[in-house]
Amino acid sequence: MADVQDDWSTDSNNAINISLVVPGEGGLKTLHSFNPKMTYSIFGEAEKIFGYQGLKINLRYNACDMRPGLQIMYTKKFKTVGETSPTDLKEILEPYLPKTAFEKSIVFDAALRDASYATWRPPGQLWKTIEADGRTMEIWKGSMADLAVQQMVKRVQILVPLFIEGGTPLGLDDPEWSMERWTVFFLYQKANHPAPSISPYTFMGYSTVYRYFLYQPILPPTSLSEKKKPISHPATLDFKLPSTENITFSSLPCRSRISQFVILPPFHGGGNGSRFYNSIFEFYSQERQTIEITVEDPNVDFDDLRDINDLLHLRTLPQFTSLRINTNATPRAKGPVPRDIIDLDALEKLRTKVKIAPRQFYRVMEMQLLSAIPLGIRQSMIEERIKLQGPELVAKKKEYHLWQLFVKKRLYRHNKDTLMQLDRTERIDKLEEALGSVEADFARLLREVDKRSGKKVAESNVNGASTNGSGTAKRSSPDEAAETSEEPVTKRVKFAE
């Protein structure tokens, strides 16, 4: 049976080919073609398909509306022997694709030649137009309750498990009021001079954002006169709950969470991921109901994209760039870390204003403060000659020491349960090790920010942000609870950075 497996087994990542096509002379023209990054969630951990030789699975998409057409071709198919039979490809792929994907190729080819595509527009409303590198890009947004938006998501959802580590498609059978909590953003490239009868739009990627209700406590009266003000209405047992008929979820304060974020491989690099992320961030920064903008379970690439762009954005604010460590704070040999290393009240006001979740904001703030310390003083893989002398050098060394204490305090707070299981010496060693890891990561990101700060956007080869994935998240840890407190964290690490 081992020989049979070897002869009839195909690598599913190589077998699947995804392409964006448009009508052309004599047939369909392929604009872009690429393979999936992973297929284990569909075909199993081994990422193998049994029962075929010369297997090719072509998933063609109409470049504008992403209508899918599936072609399955092979030279030989294994004949069932006992309980050993070929993989039923249609059965496996059906949950991930709409029924139209399984129609005959002739139907798909004919549908793409419909003259109405010349005037086709993406679903939803146009949110932003971006001109960059001689190209025009448009970002469209719409509610998942919109059937046209929902249809588009059904067509592209298979891209989630193919390009997002641990990503799973969304359930689209919820009632309308629940679907309204989802907003979908579509990224398109628009041709300035398209061929006649062909849509000028080419799909580049999409992102989904979910709204969580975020309770806002009622603030106490600020003045003594208001505190002493008597109740203006008599007490009564005849109490009625206020009517909720005219209250919609979209009108309530919320935490807007980026759930899925996919840029197709042909459009990686060139800053496309950053432009898309910044546009989504800009939308929710301006939306009154959104109190915080968060990301669900980001992978390594998305972590970097987010860190770099959040830091570049915050550096446009004088309140952020003027942040300094209080070098008058005096640490003691024994006892708690000084509370006045940073003005936490001012930081919290700024964080609330920019709508960045606590964990992410304080991480970026730590990066900014570290950037003010010369490389020759702080730990770094890059050597730099120290030009400071005397009191100035002493002050910078103290600033660096206070920065380290501040970060250690955060690390200890987020990992207290783990650290308390160690003896004092191991605890100190573990904190030092974690601090070194955090600082090295910050140094890497700061070098990237310095390299890109002269550009309008930061470039990144980001693939996506996972909805519930596991495996590659850099900061999936107890720290994340500060961002997504409504949901249990799906991944844990022994020590959170």
Side-chain angles (χ1 to χ4, degrees):
M1 184 58 70
D3 292 337
V4 171
Q5 292 283 351
D6 292 339
D7 292 339
W8 295 93
S9 184
T10 305
D11 185 304
S12 52
N13 291 328
N14 294 330
I16 297 177
N17 182 74
I18 305 166
S19 57
L20 301 181
V21 299
V22 295
E25 294 183 6
L28 298 183
K29 176 185 175 182
T30 299
L31 298 180
H32 303 284
S33 182
F34 48 95
N35 297 106
K37 183 179 179 181
M38 65 202 79
T39 54
Y40 64 84
S41 62
I42 299 177
F43 293 103
E45 291 295 330
E47 297 185 320
K48 298 290 184 180
I49 301 173
F50 173 74
Y52 304 89
Q53 292 182 1
L55 178 64
K56 293 182 180 180
I57 302 173
N58 295 327
L59 178 57
R60 298 181 297 169
Y61 276 110
N62 187 16
C64 60
D65 70 346
M66 295 301 281
R67 177 189 175 118
L70 185 68
Q71 292 178 316
I72 299 175
M73 299 176 289
Y74 49 85
T75 55
K76 290 184 180 180
K77 185 175 182 180
F78 182 79
K79 293 183 180 180
T80 300
V81 177
E83 296 182 356
T84 303
S85 58
T87 302
D88 190 333
L89 295 173
K90 186 171 183 286
E91 181 181 22
I92 286 179
L93 294 172
E94 272 182 336
Y96 298 93
L97 291 167
K99 292 181 179 179
T100 53
F102 299 92
E103 294 176 338
K104 294 181 178 180
S105 294
I106 191 172
V107 176
F108 176 79
D109 295 355
L112 267 59
R113 297 185 180 280
D114 193 318
S116 64
Y117 277 121
T119 57
W120 183 89
R121 298 194 317 166
Q125 301 81 40
L126 177 63
W127 154 239
K128 195 175 188 66
T129 300
I130 300 172
E131 301 287 345
D133 303 325
R135 297 176 300 153
T136 300
M137 287 169 284
E138 292 185 354
I139 297 171
W140 292 68
K141 59 170 286 290
S143 168
M144 192 77 83
D146 183 337
L147 293 179
V149 171
Q150 196 174 130
Q151 181 189 52
M152 182 73 114
V153 172
K154 286 181 179 178
R155 291 175 172 180
V156 300
Q157 281 224 98
I158 193 173
L159 300 174
V160 172
L162 296 182
F163 292 101
I164 296 179
E165 185 74 40
T168 56
L170 301 176
L172 301 177
D173 298 326
D174 292 341
E176 183 176 347
W177 66 267
S178 181
M179 301 303 288
E180 288 177 351
R181 297 170 69 170
W182 287 98
T183 300
V184 186
F185 291 82
F186 299 107
L187 177 63
Y188 274 92
Q189 183 172 313
K190 186 178 182 181
N192 296 322
H193 304 288
S197 74
I198 297 179
S199 172
Y201 290 99
T202 299
F203 181 89
M204 299 174 66
Y206 82 110
S207 180
T208 59
V209 181
Y210 190 72
R211 302 170 63 93
Y212 280 101
F213 171 72
L214 185 61
Y215 171 72
Q216 297 295 287
I218 299 175
L219 299 176
T222 56
S223 66
L224 186 62
S225 59
E226 289 179 339
K227 291 179 181 179
K228 293 184 176 181
K229 190 175 181 180
I231 298 175
S232 59
H233 56 274
T236 174
L237 295 177
D238 186 20
F239 175 75
K240 292 183 179 179
L241 289 170
S243 173
T244 59
E245 291 182 1
N246 297 322
I247 297 177
T248 60
F249 189 89
S250 60
S251 66
L252 300 175
C254 69
R255 176 181 284 120
S256 295
R257 188 182 69 182
I258 298 174
S259 181
Q260 297 169 319
F261 188 99
V262 178
I263 302 292
L264 297 185
F267 307 104
H268 287 182
N272 293 322
S274 293
R275 294 185 186 100
F276 196 30
Y277 170 78
N278 288 331
S279 179
I280 296 171
F281 188 93
E282 180 185 352
F283 175 80
Y284 287 105
S285 295
Q286 299 175 7
E287 188 187 55
R288 180 179 58 84
Q289 294 85 357
T290 294
I291 307 301
E292 283 181 6
I293 305 164
T294 69
V295 177
E296 181 183 1
D297 215 2
N299 65 15
V300 175
D301 287 336
F302 195 91
D303 269 336
D304 286 355
L305 176 143
R306 184 188 187 194
D307 288 339
I308 291 169
N309 285 283
D310 284 354
L311 182 56
L312 288 171
H313 168 63
L314 289 170
R315 281 185 171 181
T316 64
L317 306 176
Q319 307 99 301
F320 185 78
T321 54
S322 63
L323 289 174
R324 293 293 183 273
I325 289 175
N326 176 23
T327 53
N328 292 322
T330 305
R332 293 179 291 177
K334 293 183 179 181
V337 174
R339 297 177 58 86
D340 58 346
I341 292 177
I342 304 290
D343 187 345
L344 296 177
D345 291 335
L347 278 177
E348 187 59 21
K349 288 180 181 178
L350 177 58
R351 186 198 71 78
T352 303
K353 178 182 177 181
V354 297
K355 301 186 178 184
I356 298 178
R359 173 67 191 96
Q360 175 67 6
F361 178 82
Y362 283 95
R363 173 181 169 84
V364 177
M365 177 271 294
E366 289 170 5
M367 275 194 279
Q368 173 66 12
L369 294 175
L370 183 65
S371 70
I373 301 171
L375 289 173
I377 293 177
R378 57 185 165 96
Q379 296 175 10
S380 175
M381 297 299 292
I382 299 178
E383 295 183 2
E384 181 181 75
R385 187 175 180 181
I386 301 296
K387 299 179 180 179
L388 303 176
Q389 295 180 356
E392 195 175 5
L393 177 60
V394 173
K396 278 296 178 183
K397 285 185 175 180
K398 182 179 180 181
E399 183 179 340
Y400 176 53
H401 178 58
L402 290 170
W403 180 89
Q404 290 178 308
L405 288 177
F406 185 82
V407 177
K408 281 184 182 180
K409 181 179 179 180
R410 173 178 66 81
L411 293 172
Y412 181 84
R413 185 172 61 249
H414 287 301
N415 299 276
K416 185 175 181 180
D417 292 342
T418 300
L419 290 170
M420 292 307 293
Q421 299 175 31
L422 307 175
D423 61 39
R424 188 174 184 275
T425 303
E426 288 180 311
R427 197 181 307 157
I428 293 173
D429 290 344
K430 194 68 174 176
L431 271 175
E432 288 292 341
E433 180 185 338
L435 176 64
S437 176
V438 168
E439 187 172 337
D441 193 42
F442 284 179
R444 174 184 64 85
L445 289 166
L446 287 171
R447 289 194 293 270
E448 196 66 26
V449 169
D450 290 342
K451 192 163 55 175
R452 302 177 182 184
S453 59
K455 300 181 181 180
K456 293 183 179 180
V457 295
E459 298 179 2
S460 176
N461 288 330
V462 65
N463 288 331
S466 176
T467 56
N468 59 353
S470 61
T472 63
K474 178 177 63 184
R475 298 195 307 273
S476 189
S477 67
D479 289 359
E480 289 295 314
E483 285 197 14
T484 56
S485 56
E486 305 90 350
E487 296 279 321
V489 179
T490 57
K491 299 194 298 290
R492 300 289 182 185
V493 294
K494 291 182 179 179
F495 198 88
E497 297 179 5

